[in-house]
Amino acid sequence: MTDFIHQPYKTIYVRDMIKMTLDDLLNMMSTLESGNAYWVDGVLFASFAMTDSEELAKKEIQGETYLDKIIFAKYEDYTKTIKSSTNLEINILNVQKSQLYRDLIKWLKQQPIWKD
């Protein structure tokens, strides 16, 4: 039988954090192919990986990854969908059970941009 090993990332580097209004985040997400946003602990967000390369693949094997950016807005209570003021609607995925995403949002809330 195959052995399965869960091995979380050791380090995730975040290049940019962009705090948006809820409407701006929804407008941006509605233009993307996936069009889904994630929700954890009162934060609606999406993260974007850097473009794949051989160098980044090597880092992944070593337990490191890079996020090009995280866009986010405060959104206290989870709902399955959300509509913007212009009636654009996107799906929201509740990833509250993911330790990785809970850690990410906890870290994000400690950054100076959170208070801006």
Side-chain angles (χ1 to χ4, degrees), residues 43-97:
V43 180
L44 193 63
F45 69 100
S47 61
F48 300 88
M50 294 184 73
T51 305
D52 289 335
S53 70
E54 193 173 319
E55 185 66 30
L56 286 177
K58 288 177 187 176
K59 298 254 184 210
E60 287 272 344
I61 292 169
Q62 297 169 359
E64 296 180 0
T65 194
Y66 289 78
L67 296 178
D68 183 44
K69 65 182 164 268
I70 297 173
I71 60 169
F72 69 95
K74 294 179 182 179
Y75 188 64
E76 286 305 314
D77 298 316
Y78 169 75
T79 57
K80 290 185 179 194
T81 61
I82 186 170
K83 282 187 181 181
S84 71
S85 62
T86 57
N87 281 331
L88 292 170
E89 185 173 26
I90 65 167
N91 294 320
I92 300 175
L93 303 174
N94 184 347
V95 291
Q96 183 72 32
K97 292 185 179 181

Side-chain angles (χ1 to χ4, degrees), residues 3-22:
D3 290 329
F4 293 90
I5 299 170
H6 176 250
Q7 187 173 8
Y9 287 111
K10 294 175 189 168
T11 307
I12 298 175
Y13 297 93
V14 179
R15 295 292 185 196
D16 198 9
M17 297 170 282
I18 306 167
K19 186 176 186 179
M20 303 179 116
T21 67
L22 198 52

